[in-house]
Amino acid sequence: RGKGSRKYFDYFRGRIMFPIFDQQGRILGFGGRILGQGEPKYLNSPESPLFNKSSILFCLYQALPHIRKEKEALVVEGYMDAITLHQHGFKTTVAPLGTSLTDKQIALLRGRVERITLIFDADESGEKAALRGLKLLKKEGCQVRVARLPAAMDPDDFIREYGGDRFKEEVLEGALPLIDY
């Protein structure tokens, strides 16, 4: 290597990788979740003109046919939550990319849904994310509900421990309307 040579490193080292698609099925970037301990827990591709995480919903491409049919979307916080819900038959599930819901992400659902259910983690950051999302969603004119999970659980944890049927019965069917929440 001569003077001024570049050194390269694996940006996503030690992470499980998730492709992030746009709504037409084109890969825009990647998300990586750390295996084991470390920070940040999730790492996305760097922002670019094509990859802007505040205007993308994870799993939207896979969920769109089901969202169009059922007129409903389930919104969770993380990649694993979305993947686990899809694996257990909750095919209308999407997730923001490590951010709170944004106007641009909500616009991706606009006109396609009559009901949105927020299912955020049962911790302080999940509660804050739900409240921020509710402020944006109340303007949309669709029915908004908030599903609550037991303390210190996320949707992935709940389904792995109790199964999809119990998730539907206890979490989804127990979701509170915006005003009650």
Side-chain angles (χ1 to χ4, degrees), residues 145 167-175:
R145 302 178 322 147
F167 180 82
K168 182 179 180 184
E169 292 168 10
E170 293 181 19
V171 177
L172 291 182
E173 292 176 7

Side-chain angles (χ1 to χ4, degrees), residues 65-133:
H66 307 282
I67 287 171
R68 287 182 182 124
K69 181 180 175 187
E70 296 181 33
K71 301 290 186 205
E72 171 185 54
L74 305 177
V75 181
V76 296
E77 278 187 82
Y79 303 132
M80 292 308 298
D81 296 327
I83 291 168
T84 299
L85 265 69
H86 273 264
Q87 288 174 335
H88 285 83
F90 302 97
K91 303 287 187 184
T92 63
T93 305
V94 297
L97 301 180
T99 62
S100 297
L101 267 177
T102 66
D103 284 327
K104 291 176 184 174
Q105 291 166 331
I106 292 168
L108 295 171
L109 299 173
R110 189 174 291 127
R112 295 182 167 135
V113 296
E114 294 170 3
R115 183 172 67 206
I116 294 176
T117 303
L118 298 178
I119 315 164
F120 286 164
D121 298 359
D123 59 17
E124 187 177 336
S125 65
E127 189 82 15
K128 287 179 181 177
L131 291 172
R132 283 190 300 269

